[in-house]
Amino acid sequence: MCPQSSIWSEVTSTLTCTLKNLFDSYVDPADAQADLIACLGPPVSSVFMEVLAKSFNSNVELFKANSSHILTIVEQLLLMNNIKDTRGLVEQTIIVHFDSAVDIDALLRMLIRVCPLVSVEHRKELCLNVIWYIARKLYDVKCSKTLGPLFFDFALVLLDLCVIEAPRHARILLEKNEFYPWKELAPRCSDLVRLCAAYDIIDEKKVINDLSYLENILELVSARAKANLVIVHATHGEALRAILRWLSHAENDSKNRWCQHVFNMGHKMLDLIDQRQITSDTCLDIIEALQKRVTSNEEDDNDEEVRGMIGPFLYVSEFLICRVHTFLSVDIASRDWHHDWPCI
Amino acid sequence: MYIESLKVIGHDVHRRLALFCLNVLARPLRYENGQMLFEHSAVITLWYKIAPCLANEVDARLYEQCLRRIHSLACDPDESENYFPLWLFFWTQVTKKTPDMAAGYVEEFLNDLTDRKQIAMVSVLSVSRPFSSRLY
């Protein structure tokens, strides 16, 4: 097939107009597989694929018989970073038949395997054009709770893409109600926190942006942690690491400042610190970091922007100070108790 | 042994905290426009949490230099509104547990009461022994 040839394009347009239903039924549904593979070329024949996709759209049986092949095609397209054709195929087939005929387990496993392999330049497109539809369907669909961990893994994979467009979809997945076994997922929550914190390298100057979804995710985790204390036990390490990192200066920015979304995350991150794991070394580290920040602010005193940033930073400091105090008061409470006993 | 290790932990942290507070207190208080530097607000908040945690004289003495600075700010008519309460709070929390330390400051307490008309100091004075002995 030579899509570049003008003769061919005439052929295809004639075909698509007159023989619209050419591919609507197969004597043996498995024959569709051959055609699907043929679509891939190389080069990929978008027109052919569109026509095929339309047939699958209207014929659910045809789709069912070939669903695993369609997944293979999507995989191949993604590996080629061909987002445009992926979208067409996915929209016409997978999305249409999502509730009735899609094997969600297989779909998720494929996406978990393949999304990280999409090149960095194409990830934004991937999120906007493909993940957008899939994530929404996954949120709505009623399926077995045994898929919970798989959904969670997919959310992690999405966050790991590290593009501004990704957190929105990860969040909608995680908000699926009464679906996740949070106790069992507690250890993985540490990865979740780490992946959110990793967005601090993104330099995003707009005040309102899609990175605010990261805060929502962190809020969700701390809400679940209230019901499952084991979660906060798991997230403590990463949360503390992030906060100490953000208390000192950014390395990537020429002005050595973190972006607004980082401070906003920091605020939520504080709830993911486990009181019981705070040690004297933690306190000392925190005070040390605060000290450094205060001393370096001396150089920035005339900078209006820095003063603007101080607001959120003050929040962070105050909350930290309260935590330090709580640790100290636990300390004291045990000492006072010991103090009273000798009177007996 | 557990209690012993807690004591040691507490002291180190107090020492570091005191150093931090002192550092901050040494810096200018306000911007040109009158806005207070955030680190000072932070120290004020922190102070109210630290004082109740002081259970013995050794720890309390770590904060003496801070106290001196706070008292001088408390005597400054521009800043006394913020800083006198810190002075007062510290002593109301700590006097019972550190009577000897408080004794060293009775002079200041009396001055606060008489010169600076800080009636609240009466409660501090009534608790510290040396004052009672000075009465007689």
Side-chain angles (χ1 to χ4, degrees):
Chain A
M1 295 185 213
C2 316
Q4 285 90 2
S5 134
S6 55
I7 301 172
W8 179 249
S9 62
E10 276 184 42
V11 171
T12 51
S13 52
T14 316
L15 263 178
T16 47
C17 293
T18 57
L19 290 171
K20 270 191 282 229
N21 301 321
L22 183 61
F23 298 107
D24 275 2
S25 64
Y26 287 79
V27 170
D28 178 0
D31 284 344
Q33 184 192 359
D35 286 335
L36 275 171
I37 293 174
C39 283
L40 279 178
V44 173
S45 165
S46 308
V47 177
F48 192 8
M49 199 169 318
E50 250 183 79
V51 175
L52 265 181
K54 284 208 170 59
S55 323
F56 284 114
N57 182 334
S58 45
N59 186 342
V60 69
E61 291 308 317
L62 191 61
F63 174 79
K64 269 193 195 153
N66 291 286
S67 60
S68 62
H69 305 134
I70 291 183
L71 283 182
T72 315
I73 302 295
V74 171
E75 178 167 353
Q76 293 304 316
L77 286 171
L78 286 174
L79 288 172
M80 287 191 262
N81 294 313
N82 183 337
I83 309 299
K84 181 165 167 296
D85 287 324
T86 309
R87 173 185 176 162
L89 187 57
V90 165
E91 245 190 302
Q92 293 287 344
T93 61
I94 296 177
I95 299 300
V96 168
H97 299 296
F98 207 92
D99 297 320
S100 49
V102 170
D103 180 354
I104 297 179
D105 186 289
L107 174 66
L108 282 173
R109 284 184 197 281
M110 186 274 288
L111 288 170
I112 287 171
R113 196 175 53 242
V114 174
C115 286
L117 299 172
V118 171
S119 81
V120 175
E121 302 84 52
H122 290 96
R123 288 180 181 182
K124 174 178 173 173
E125 248 189 288
L126 173 69
C127 289
L128 290 174
N129 293 317
V130 176
I131 306 295
W132 176 281
Y133 299 100
I134 297 181
R136 257 140 208 78
K137 279 294 183 183
L138 286 170
Y139 175 75
D140 288 328
V141 78
K142 289 197 181 4
C143 58
S144 158
K145 286 194 196 181
T146 54
L147 289 173
L150 208 54
F151 270 65
F152 195 85
D153 281 344
F154 185 43
L156 291 183
V157 161
L158 285 175
L159 279 174
D160 204 13
L161 292 175
C162 222
V163 285
I164 297 178
E165 293 73 20
R168 175 188 215 134
H169 307 305
R171 181 225 182 171
I172 203 178
L173 280 176
L174 291 168
E175 290 203 332
K176 201 168 165 68
N177 282 324
E178 302 299 330
F179 182 69
Y180 293 98
W182 288 101
K183 245 198 195 70
E184 286 76 31
L185 288 171
R188 304 283 273 142
C189 287
S190 155
D191 292 314
L192 187 55
V193 170
R194 178 179 49 83
L195 288 168
C196 287
Y199 279 78
D200 59 11
I201 58 171
I202 294 190
D203 194 8
E204 177 53 62
K205 295 293 182 238
K206 283 193 295 209
V207 176
I208 300 173
N209 57 57
D210 277 2
L211 290 173
S212 59
Y213 293 108
L214 291 166
E215 286 167 62
N216 300 136
I217 293 177
L218 292 174
E219 252 177 316
L220 177 73
V221 176
S222 52
R224 296 289 167 268
K226 289 196 171 60
N228 299 284
L229 292 173
V230 65
I231 291 180
V232 107
H233 184 83
T235 57
H236 174 86
E238 289 298 338
L240 190 59
R241 204 162 302 151
I243 287 182
L244 285 173
R245 188 164 77 234
W246 295 337
L247 274 179
S248 23
H249 282 303
E251 283 145 12
N252 57 324
D253 191 76
S254 57
K255 278 190 179 165
N256 275 338
R257 275 199 291 283
W258 297 107
C259 295
Q260 187 66 41
H261 69 270
V262 175
F263 286 119
N264 295 343
M265 274 205 281
H267 198 160
K268 310 290 176 201
M269 206 53 104
L270 291 164
D271 291 329
L272 293 168
I273 289 192
D274 188 358
Q275 302 284 9
R276 296 163 296 174
Q277 289 184 59
I278 296 185
T279 63
S280 67
D281 288 330
T282 318
C283 292
L284 291 172
D285 286 337
I286 293 172
I287 299 169
E288 198 60 54
L290 277 175
Q291 177 75 73
K292 273 206 199 107
R293 172 59 79 133
V294 165
T295 333
S296 57
N297 271 349
E298 223 160 9
E299 288 105 58
D300 288 340
D301 249 352
N302 300 322
D303 199 322
E304 282 291 338
E305 255 188 61
V306 174
R307 282 197 233 171
M309 293 290 240
I310 288 307
F313 180 63
L314 177 57
Y315 257 140
V316 175
S317 317
E318 278 191 11
F319 273 99
L320 267 175
I321 289 163
C322 292
R323 294 292 187 273
V324 169
H325 158 254
T326 314
F327 168 70
L328 291 173
S329 54
V330 166
D331 194 20
I332 292 306
S334 3
R335 272 195 256 171
D336 276 350
W337 168 84
H338 198 72
H339 215 40
D340 289 335
W341 268 44
C343 303
I344 296 172
Chain B
M1 199 169 81
Y2 173 64
I3 303 291
E4 290 302 36
S5 69
L6 276 182
K7 271 208 185 105
V8 169
I9 289 171
H11 187 79
D12 278 342
V13 177
H14 275 302
R15 191 181 323 122
R16 195 65 194 78
L17 272 174
L19 192 56
F20 175 67
C21 291
L22 190 62
N23 242 295
V24 171
L25 286 167
R27 305 188 59 222
L29 194 56
R30 295 178 186 276
Y31 290 110
E32 275 177 335
N33 63 5
Q35 189 190 347
M36 187 182 266
L37 262 71
F38 94 93
E39 47 260 43
H40 285 283
S41 318
V43 163
I44 291 178
T45 315
L46 191 52
W47 192 260
Y48 283 111
K49 313 256 184 225
I50 295 175
C53 293
L54 291 164
N56 60 63
E57 182 154 338
V58 179
D59 289 343
R61 288 231 180 246
L62 287 170
Y63 291 91
E64 279 203 271
Q65 280 179 293
C66 294
L67 274 173
R68 261 179 239 131
R69 175 78 179 128
I70 287 177
H71 191 236
S72 68
L73 282 166
C75 296
D76 176 352
D78 287 331
E79 304 297 350
S80 71
E81 199 180 325
N82 283 319
Y83 284 90
F84 192 80
L86 293 185
W87 172 257
L88 180 63
F89 186 71
F90 182 87
W91 291 114
T92 50
Q93 294 291 316
V94 156
T95 309
K96 265 200 214 125
K97 301 171 205 170
T98 65
D100 294 326
M101 182 177 168
Y105 289 85
V106 169
E107 204 62 51
E108 273 90 350
F109 298 157
L110 285 170
N111 288 335
D112 288 331
L113 188 58
T114 55
D115 299 338
R116 290 181 272 276
K117 316 272 190 278
Q118 298 284 7
I119 314 285
M121 292 311 292
V122 173
S123 55
V124 174
L125 285 165
S126 57
V127 174
S128 55
R129 281 175 318 187
F131 176 68
S132 331
S133 58
R134 276 175 70 143
L135 269 184
Y136 303 112

